[in-house]
Amino acid sequence: PTGRAASWHTVMLSALIGGLMSASAAGFSLPAGLAADIVGFRVTALAGTLLMAIGLFSSSFIGRLQGLCVTQGLVCGTGIAFILVPAYSVAPLWFDRHRALATGVAVAGGGLGVVVLTPMLGALLRTYGMAASLKVHALLVLVLGMAASFGLRRRIEAPWRSAARVRWRTRLTDARVWALMAMALFAAASRFAQLLCLPAFARANGLDYDESINVLYALGASLVAGAIAGGLCADRTGYVAGLGLSELLMGAFTLVLWTPAVSVAPMYIYAVLFGLCLGCLAAVLPAATAQMFGAPRLASTIGLVVSVAVPAILASVPAAARFLDLADHHRSTAWLTAISGALSLVAGMLGLSLPLLERRHRRNMVQREAATAFSS
C-alpha cells in the first residue's frame, strides 16, 4: 500500500497487536482459571511469567509488525492471562471481611506499574531503541514475576474433582453468571476509546508524544487511588451494586467530558475520574464474584466471565484503528467516543441488575431449603 492506504495499513497492524494481546489475555482467562484451580496459583503464575518473558524477548528480534502480532499479541497475551487470573483471584480467598480492599491494594500495583515503569521503558526506548527496551522489559517480567508468583497460593487446598460437574452445571444455568458475562462483553467493547485512544486524542490536540502520555500517567495514578478508596467503600456498602455503578459512571464521564471535548484540559479531568471508577470496578469484581458464587473455583469463574470479552475486543480493533486514523487527520472522533460511552452505560445497567438477581437467587435458595426440610 502507498500514501493514505499505507498509513491506514500501519495503523491497523499497530492496533491489531494491542487487540490480539488483549483478546489472547481474555480468551485464555478460562484455561488460566482452570489451571489455577487444578494445579495451583503459584505454578500457573510461573507459567504465565515464562510465556510473557519469552514473548517479549523474541519480539526484540522481530522487525515486522506481522511477527509482533504472534510474539507480543498471542504469546504475551497468553502469559498475561496466566499471571493476572490467579493474582486477581487470590485476595478474596484470604480475606473474609475486607475482600475489596485487599483486592484494591493488589490492583493498585498495576496502576503503579503504569506510573513507574512506563517512563523508564520510554527512556530506554528513546536511548537504546526498541530491541534493547524489549529485552529489558522481558528481564523485568521474568525477575519480578517469578518473585511475586511464589507468594500466590490458595488458603484451602480443596480437591478439584469434588462435585465439580454439578457446580459447573449449576453456574452455567445461573442468570447471575449470564448477566455478569453480558456486562463484561459490553464493558470490553467500550474500552476501545476509553483506554486505547486517549494519547492519540491528546496528540491530535497539539501535545507531543511525551506530553500525551501524561494523560495515561494521570489515569494510572487515579486508578491506584480508586482501587484502594473503592475497596474501602465497597467493604462497607456492598460489592455487587458497585459493579454497575462504576460502569455507569465511566459511561457518563465519557459522554459528558470526552465526547464534546475540543481541547486537552477536559481529558485530564476525564482521565482522573475514569481512573477512579476503573480502580473501584477492578477492586470490587473478585469480591462480588466470591460473594455471589462462593470461594471454591473462584479463579475458574472469573476466567469464564472475562473470556466472553474476546469477540468485543476483536471487533473493537477496527474501531480503535478508525479513531487513530481520524485523530491523525484532525477529524472529529466524537461519534466514536459517544458509542464507547453508550456501551459503558449498557454494561452498567446490566451490572445494576445483579443485586436484583442476587436477591431472587437467595429467596429461591431459602424456599428450596424450606421445601427440603418440610419434605424430610
Side-chain angles (χ1 to χ4, degrees):
T2 60
R4 182 178 174 83
S7 175
W8 174 251
H9 183 69
T10 302
V11 168
M12 276 296 297
L13 286 176
S14 299
L16 186 60
I17 294 173
L20 282 175
M21 181 183 292
S22 300
S24 298
F28 283 94
S29 292
L30 180 56
L34 292 170
D37 284 330
I38 294 172
V39 302
F41 287 25
R42 183 179 301 167
V43 174
T44 303
L46 283 171
T49 297
L50 290 174
L51 278 173
M52 189 173 178
I54 290 171
L56 289 169
F57 187 76
S58 59
S59 297
S60 66
F61 299 98
I62 297 175
R64 296 179 61 85
L65 288 173
Q66 292 88 338
L68 292 175
C69 287
V70 176
T71 55
Q72 278 193 281
L74 182 60
V75 179
C76 285
T78 305
I80 289 170
F82 277 75
I83 293 171
L84 288 187
V85 171
Y88 198 45
S89 306
V90 72
L93 301 181
W94 283 92
F95 294 86
D96 296 324
R97 292 182 56 197
H98 303 292
R99 284 178 168 175
L101 176 59
T103 305
V105 172
V107 168
L112 287 174
V114 173
V115 176
V116 175
L117 293 180
T118 303
M120 183 185 71
L121 293 174
L124 280 172
L125 180 63
R126 290 189 297 271
T127 306
Y128 298 103
M130 177 66 75
S133 300
L134 288 171
K135 289 184 175 70
V136 172
H137 195 182
L139 180 62
L140 286 172
V141 167
L142 187 63
V143 173
L144 297 177
M146 290 184 69
S149 297
F150 283 104
L152 297 179
R153 65 184 181 89
R154 287 186 291 253
R155 183 178 180 179
I156 299 174
E157 298 295 332
W160 164 256
R161 297 183 184 277
S162 173
R165 183 177 301 175
V166 175
R167 184 174 294 112
W168 275 113
R169 184 164 60 246
T170 302
R171 290 190 179 176
L172 290 176
T173 56
D174 193 329
R176 298 171 300 165
V177 173
W178 291 100
L180 193 56
M181 289 194 296
M183 177 186 170
L185 181 70
F186 281 95
S190 70
R191 299 295 186 262
F192 76 90
Q194 294 169 344
L195 291 178
L196 298 178
C197 300
L198 275 174
F201 185 87
R203 286 196 297 273
N205 284 273
L207 298 185
D208 59 26
Y209 178 82
D210 292 332
E211 292 173 331
S212 65
I213 294 298
N214 289 336
V215 179
L216 289 183
Y217 295 158
L219 191 151
S222 59
L223 188 150
V224 173
I228 296 175
L232 279 170
C233 294
D235 284 328
R236 289 165 172 79
T237 60
Y239 304 135
V240 180
L243 294 174
L245 288 174
S246 298
E247 194 66 43
L248 273 179
L249 287 173
M250 285 190 280
F253 291 145
T254 303
L255 292 173
V256 173
L257 292 175
W258 189 352
T259 300
V262 293
S263 63
V264 177
M267 298 311 300
Y268 283 99
I269 301 173
Y270 170 78
V272 170
L273 295 175
F274 183 85
L276 289 171
C277 296
L278 185 62
C280 180
L281 177 65
V284 170
L285 177 59
T289 306
Q291 179 182 332
M292 287 189 289
F293 308 110
R297 317 295 173 249
L298 178 61
S300 300
T301 306
I302 291 177
L304 174 67
V305 170
V306 174
S307 64
V308 301
V310 175
I313 294 172
L314 291 177
S316 68
V317 170
R322 181 62 175 166
F323 187 104
L324 297 174
D325 184 64
L326 290 173
D328 185 55
H329 292 84
H330 304 285
R331 297 170 62 185
S332 175
T333 57
W335 62 280
L336 284 170
T337 54
I339 291 174
S340 176
L343 290 170
S344 269
L345 291 181
V346 174
M349 295 301 294
L350 289 166
L352 288 180
S353 72
L354 287 169
L356 302 177
L357 294 173
E358 176 69 7
R359 285 196 291 271
R360 189 180 72 176
H361 176 78
R362 291 183 182 276
R363 185 171 60 251
N364 292 339
M365 289 291 293
V366 171
Q367 294 174 351
R368 193 178 299 117
E369 290 174 359
T372 303
F374 179 77
S375 62
S376 62

